[in-house]
Amino acid sequence: HEVRRVILALCAWPDLQALHIATLIGRNVQYIQEAYLATMVRDGELTYTYPENQSRPDQASRTTPKGRQTIEE
């Protein structure tokens, strides 16, 4: 759960691409996307900057109000 909170905190201010998140927390991009980002979007804690086209090269994630509550818990 700690990694999820770190990701939520990172995406709470600027929208961040998976590559930037992976670099900041020292993990592989594919791992971050599969193990965290997809699940966090599904759970409503993150949203995609371009939800209509998830494969855009400049796709990024941002923290939702629900994700902000998770940070505060």
Side-chain angles (χ1 to χ4, degrees):
H1 293 286
E2 191 61 32
V3 173
R4 288 174 71 115
R5 286 181 192 220
V6 169
I7 292 171
L8 290 169
L10 289 171
C11 294
W13 183 52
D15 295 352
L16 288 178
Q17 294 180 340
L19 174 63
H20 298 133
I21 296 167
T23 300
L24 289 167
I25 64 174
R27 300 286 176 108
N28 175 286
V29 175
Q30 184 174 352
Y31 174 77
I32 290 297
Q33 290 173 324
E34 294 173 3
Y36 292 102
L37 299 183
T39 302
M40 294 170 77
V41 169
R42 187 188 69 230
D43 291 347
E45 295 176 323
L46 291 176
T47 188
Y48 291 122
T49 304
Y50 306 102
E52 68 284 352
N53 186 357
Q54 297 177 17
S55 62
R56 280 180 64 137
D58 59 342
Q59 185 63 267
S61 299
R62 74 172 60 118
T63 302
T64 65
K66 180 178 178 181
R68 290 181 189 276
Q69 288 177 344
T70 300
I71 295 170
E72 296 172 2
E73 292 176 352

